[in-house]
Amino acid sequence: MDKTLSRTPVANRTHIGFFGRMNAGKSSLINALADQPVSIVSPEAGTTTDVVKKTMEIHGIGPCVLLDTAGFDDAGEVGKLRIAASRKAAESADLAVVLFGEGDWTEEKSWLAFFKDVATPVIAVCTQSDRRPPEENRALAARVEAETGLAPVTVSALTREGIDALREAMIAAVARKPEKRYILGDLVKEGDVVVLVMPQDPQAPEGRLILPEVQTIRESLDRRCLALCVQPEELPAALGSLREPPALIVTDSQVFDAVYAMKPAGTKLTSFSVLFAGYKGDIGYYMDSVRAIDRLTESSRVLIAECCTHAPLDEDIGRVKIPRMLRQRAGQGLTVDVTAGADFPDNVGQYDLIIQCGGCMFNRKYVCSRIRRAKDAGVPMTNYGITIAYVKGILDRVDTGRKD
């Protein structure tokens, strides 16, 4: 069996970032936690040039990703790019481990302020304890607590002193994370029949489903629902085979209107993209923002923000279909920019509307960081499914499954 098929997707893992100065011992610490050489360790400053990701499982935390970042005191033009990469990693971190050593802590305190602003829990660590006598380690820990309010864990990757204590602190911090979110929200209960309408995307490799479909099917099973998967042309036969109408139909956004025309009275209808708007983002802001479509003109500028980096098709939803829908309303002169993967512009204030994909490839923390930047710039932001439903005039008939 291909073990990749049973692995937890990176986007669903707890992201734990390690942040500190060059040669503070981040890579050594990650290697000690993982019990294997994950990151390159060198006495030369600046060895870690890009964010190194290690997927693993930690008992008490579960599936997680350890993020080894470049030092935030890196210098020069290349150093700026490394720091920018570390900042993106910080935006996705569900938990931050910040390393402290001797010297000035202006940078460390700046990063602590950032994590406080975005409500990311932080563990302070005094590293490389094997290089100092016990009394100096105690003094360093006391200084960290006095200046930051955080009681640090003192560790040595070389002797493994404090590694178990750090792991326990990480487990305790993750245990305090917000209540588990569900893709299907409150739309279903145990025993409900859920019909999933899934036109097969030619971009997906043969024999595989796209990630939102896989995750929604899995959650349906976990919540003891009866899941029936069909393609759009099979929906009438599927509905006719049921003794009672299904509790919920989940469809691809692109066939919203066709599926709505076949939906039995009393059956709730939503889409994978709308579900992920609530699961990964801020659906309230998305729903409010979509009305900005009515204010677009030929002089407006729209950003399409994709999370995956696939080769676009002739009728790609983000690069072709949605821009065409918007230009039919606002005029052919409407400017539409597209970004993919982790690319997201710093100057989002230049846009009149941002339309985010479902976000299945990123964790909720990172998607919410994009929304926060849009809000700070006063730019409306919505997503694919909500956009399509609004343009087709059926948004008020789509169930979101969210109260938040």
Side-chain angles (χ1 to χ4, degrees):
M1 176 181 175
D2 183 355
K3 292 184 178 179
T4 61
L5 297 179
S6 59
R7 290 175 182 166
T8 301
V10 170
N12 286 7
R13 292 174 178 262
T14 300
H15 286 51
I16 305 173
F18 291 74
F19 305 90
R21 294 176 178 272
M22 293 188 293
N23 274 12
K26 299 182 294 296
S27 299
S28 297
L29 184 55
I30 288 177
N31 289 345
L33 278 166
D35 280 326
Q36 56 183 285
V38 174
S39 298
I40 297 173
V41 176
S42 168
E44 181 180 347
T47 301
T48 304
T49 56
D50 295 309
V51 176
V52 177
K53 299 181 179 181
K54 169 60 179 176
T55 58
M56 61 181 298
E57 297 211 13
I58 297 178
H59 181 68
I61 294 178
C64 59
V65 183
L66 305 186
L67 308 173
D68 185 8
T69 65
F72 47 54
D73 59 336
D74 210 339
E77 290 304 312
V78 176
K80 291 179 182 178
L81 296 176
R82 295 171 178 171
I83 294 171
S86 296
R87 181 67 71 175
K88 284 188 177 180
E91 291 176 340
S92 70
D94 299 298
L95 171 64
V97 178
V98 180
L99 280 61
F100 288 82
E102 296 87 352
D104 178 73
W105 292 340
T106 301
E107 287 293 332
E108 286 83 347
K109 290 178 180 177
S110 173
W111 282 70
L112 289 180
F114 168 79
F115 290 125
K116 182 178 180 180
D117 286 344
V118 298
T120 301
V122 175
I123 296 174
V125 173
C126 297
T127 56
Q128 303 170 333
S129 64
D130 54 280
R131 301 183 181 183
R132 296 180 295 271
E135 61 272 15
E136 290 187 15
N137 282 323
R138 289 192 291 270
L140 181 62
R143 180 188 165 200
V144 171
E145 186 165 10
E147 294 191 25
T148 69
L150 299 171
V153 181
T154 299
V155 303
S156 166
L158 180 65
T159 67
R160 299 191 63 82
E161 174 196 5
I163 295 299
D164 288 341
L166 174 57
R167 187 178 289 110
E168 291 301 317
M170 291 163 57
I171 293 170
V174 170
R176 295 191 293 270
K177 67 182 180 181
E179 184 180 355
K180 177 179 174 62
R181 300 178 71 85
Y182 290 99
I183 297 171
L184 292 165
D186 61 1
L187 291 175
V188 298
K189 64 182 184 304
E190 183 175 338
D192 280 348
V193 175
V194 179
V195 177
L196 300 106
V197 182
M198 305 185 302
Q200 291 309 288
D201 191 336
Q203 291 171 175
E206 184 177 354
R208 297 190 183 184
L209 301 174
I210 61 175
L211 191 56
E213 294 171 349
V214 172
Q215 292 180 307
T216 306
I217 293 170
R218 175 56 193 264
E219 185 177 298
S220 299
L221 298 175
D222 288 343
R223 296 178 68 176
R224 299 292 189 267
C225 295
L226 305 177
L228 177 59
C229 303
V230 301
Q231 295 201 51
E233 58 271 22
E234 299 163 350
L235 181 57
L239 294 174
S241 70
L242 298 173
R243 286 185 293 181
E244 295 181 1
L248 174 68
I249 297 176
V250 185
T251 182
D252 185 282
S253 299
Q254 299 179 73
V255 291
F256 254 148
D257 43 0
V259 172
Y260 180 79
M262 293 182 273
K263 181 185 78 70
T267 295
K268 290 172 283 191
L269 172 67
T270 191
S271 79
F272 295 102
S273 186
V274 168
L275 290 177
F276 272 72
Y279 182 56
K280 291 291 181 76
D282 181 340
I283 195 164
Y285 194 66
Y286 285 167
M287 296 287 279
D288 291 341
S289 295
V290 74
R291 292 167 177 78
I293 289 174
D294 296 332
R295 301 192 294 272
L296 297 178
T297 67
E298 287 196 303
S299 61
S300 298
R301 195 179 194 97
V302 174
L303 174 66
I304 303 291
E306 297 183 336
C307 288
C308 54
T309 53
H310 61 268
L313 299 179
D314 291 339
E315 284 296 299
D316 189 85
I317 182 172
R319 299 168 185 260
V320 178
K321 290 186 177 181
I322 290 179
R324 183 168 60 216
M325 289 178 182
L326 297 180
R327 290 188 174 115
Q328 286 173 349
R329 294 171 67 104
Q332 295 303 308
L334 176 70
T335 300
V336 179
D337 297 334
V338 179
T339 60
D343 291 337
F344 195 72
D346 292 327
N347 56 335
V348 295
Q350 66 181 302
Y351 293 102
D352 299 288
L353 176 64
I354 299 171
I355 304 177
Q356 167 76 46
C357 69
C360 64
M361 299 302 294
F362 289 144
N363 67 339
R364 175 175 168 79
K365 190 76 176 183
Y366 180 70
V367 175
C368 287
S369 75
R370 290 185 168 189
I371 298 170
R372 184 182 64 254
R373 287 166 61 183
K375 286 182 176 180
D376 289 346
V379 177
M381 182 172 179
T382 189
N383 92 327
Y384 283 13
I386 293 172
T387 295
I388 294 171
Y390 186 76
V391 171
K392 289 179 178 289
I394 60 171
L395 182 59
D396 59 341
R397 306 169 196 169
V398 175
D399 293 280
T400 66
R402 300 285 168 187
K403 298 183 177 65
D404 54 348

